[in-house]
Amino acid sequence: MSMGWSLWVMFLVVLNMGISLFLFLWGPRAKIPSQPDQTTGHAWAHGTIREGLRPLPRWWLLLSGSMFIGGIGYLVLYPGFGNHKGLLHWTSHGQLAKAVAANDAKLDPLLQRFDLYSVEQLAGDPEAQQMGQRLFDDNCAACHGRNAHGNQALGAPNLTDNDWLYGGSGKDITTSIHDGRGGVMPPWASLGEQTVKNLAQYVLSLSGEPHDAKMAAAAEPIFKGTCAACHGADGKGTQALGAPNLTDHIWLHGGSLADIEKTIHDGRQGHMPNWDKRLSDDDIHVLAAYVYHVSHPDVGAQ
Ligand code: HEC
Ligand code: HEC
């Protein structure tokens, strides 16, 4: 507050308190001419209401007096009298900082400890596993299943097999949870029914499943020309696109001939929601550690 404003506020405070004090002191002493019947002589409503003269009740005087003194005390202790800071040096910023500090102290000290570790390190911590399991049951199990084994009907991958659409490092898993993921396998019905059937045989051949070699051979150039852009020339997938490895016997949308033909014919889309709006960064950190733990059960406490 500038000096001018400070002086103005001080002036207003002194003026108001002065007027109150004056009324206090003057009120009881003031001589108001009165009639013999203890009224002022003012009458309303044809004389049915007359203005009486009574001393102020004692309780009212005491209450007002103590509030007046309390007001002065407040202005001495707290800010309010212009730029005077108050003897207690109270500030609203200080009050907020205190409240925040008290809240932080109450916050689970566990989370503060977890912050010190990487996802990979935290995965070995039994307390983090417990907290992660609770968060997983609440938020993730609906799609990925209670045991995180996934759900083919939803295209939600098994998270325990250490086979990753988008990468299995602590950082990749954290990104998957924080930002969400959406893999798009386009539909290829336009290539023709026969080509789709041939391609399905070729996909089966990639993982060494029983297949029709002639049909697969017929599809090979199409795979190399069309599908390899995402799944790679060797069919091992591209994590940057979430295009799955087709050689590993692990199927996001089912590995039967009918499933694979349907995938190629109609396309597939997976939607992993983003959790950055619904969960705190600390929660996501613990969840990533939990996912890392269930996919690396051999990682011991460190
Ligand atoms: C609405 C269903 C749904 C929910 C809820 C869900 N997910 Fe997913 N999640 C998916 C789908 C579908 C994918 C695959 C995305 C794709 O195909 O591109 C996926 C992918 C992932 C991946 C990437 C896996 C990989 O192989 O790279 C991780 C990690 C993951 N989810 C963890 C979680 C965690 C942790 C939670 C809870 C906070 C969660 N998900 C909640 C549906 C879900
Ligand atoms: C634009 C990139 C892209 C192209 C091109 C593409 N795919 Fe895919 N494909 C994907 C993605 C992404 C997925 C995973 C979809 C999901 O996340 O649910 C997928 C999934 C699949 C799957 C299911 C795998 C499983 O584990 O269930 C098969 C089979 C497949 N693709 C075969 C093909 C064939 C055959 C072609 C060529 C005709 C092809 N894809 C072309 C991106 C592509």
Side-chain angles (χ1 to χ4, degrees):
M1 200 169 3
S2 75
M3 194 60 184
W5 278 115
S6 174
L7 288 172
W8 174 241
V9 169
M10 287 178 177
F11 168 73
L12 287 179
V13 169
V14 170
L15 182 73
N16 277 287
M17 307 270 303
I19 290 174
S20 306
L21 187 64
F22 168 76
L23 287 174
F24 260 121
L25 300 178
W26 173 77
R29 284 179 182 74
K31 286 274 169 290
I32 298 170
S34 64
Q35 307 294 319
D37 65 352
Q38 288 292 303
T39 71
T40 60
H42 290 162
W44 292 272
H46 307 291
T48 42
I49 300 177
R50 288 166 301 143
E51 184 177 335
L53 267 178
R54 294 272 187 283
L56 289 167
R58 182 171 297 266
W59 66 264
W60 188 91
L61 278 175
L62 280 174
L63 196 67
S64 303
S66 51
M67 277 161 72
F68 185 79
I69 293 167
I72 291 181
Y74 178 90
L75 289 175
V76 171
L77 295 176
Y78 291 95
F81 190 55
N83 275 340
H84 171 63
K85 296 242 182 311
L87 296 183
L88 295 181
H89 296 288
W90 182 94
T91 63
S92 52
H93 292 289
Q95 172 101 340
L96 180 67
K98 248 198 206 158
V100 168
N103 201 40
D104 280 353
K106 265 193 284 172
L107 253 189
D108 209 329
L110 269 184
L111 284 181
Q112 291 172 20
R113 182 166 69 75
F114 291 171
D115 260 358
L116 301 173
Y117 299 109
S118 70
V119 167
E120 286 86 349
Q121 289 170 324
L122 199 55
D125 184 307
E127 278 176 311
Q129 289 163 13
Q130 223 179 4
M131 188 181 286
Q133 164 127 50
R134 213 178 55 227
L135 285 166
F136 192 90
D137 285 349
D138 286 351
N139 298 289
C140 324
C143 291
H144 290 282
R146 285 222 152 241
N147 47 16
H149 282 187
N151 181 336
Q152 268 184 6
L154 296 171
N158 183 344
L159 300 175
T160 67
D161 56 10
N162 206 5
D163 174 70
W164 302 96
L165 291 168
Y166 297 96
S169 72
K171 203 162 158 271
D172 293 332
I173 298 173
T174 304
T175 306
S176 289
I177 303 171
H178 190 273
D179 299 346
R181 301 282 194 185
V184 178
M185 159 73 181
W188 298 101
S190 58
L191 294 177
E193 299 298 322
Q194 191 53 48
T195 307
V196 168
K197 285 192 157 63
N198 292 350
L199 279 165
Q201 294 297 328
Y202 183 77
V203 168
L204 282 175
S205 77
L206 285 172
S207 51
E209 299 277 343
H211 60 279
D212 183 315
K214 248 170 81 192
M215 289 169 81
E220 182 165 0
I222 302 167
F223 188 92
K224 297 260 148 80
T226 307
C227 321
C230 294
H231 291 282
D234 54 3
K236 293 221 161 106
T238 311
Q239 289 188 341
L241 299 168
N245 184 345
L246 301 175
T247 69
D248 59 5
H249 298 282
I250 295 175
W251 299 98
L252 190 58
H253 298 287
S256 72
L257 180 60
D259 288 333
I260 295 172
E261 282 180 351
K262 183 168 162 36
T263 298
I264 300 171
H265 191 273
D266 299 342
R268 304 270 192 186
Q269 298 197 7
H271 176 62
M272 159 73 182
N274 59 308
W275 294 89
D276 55 334
K277 304 267 172 358
R278 279 166 281 187
L279 297 173
S280 71
D281 282 356
D282 285 335
D283 288 343
I284 290 174
H285 190 56
V286 174
L287 267 168
Y290 177 74
V291 171
Y292 195 89
H293 160 69
V294 296
S295 54
H296 301 77
D298 46 325
V299 174
Q302 285 164 16

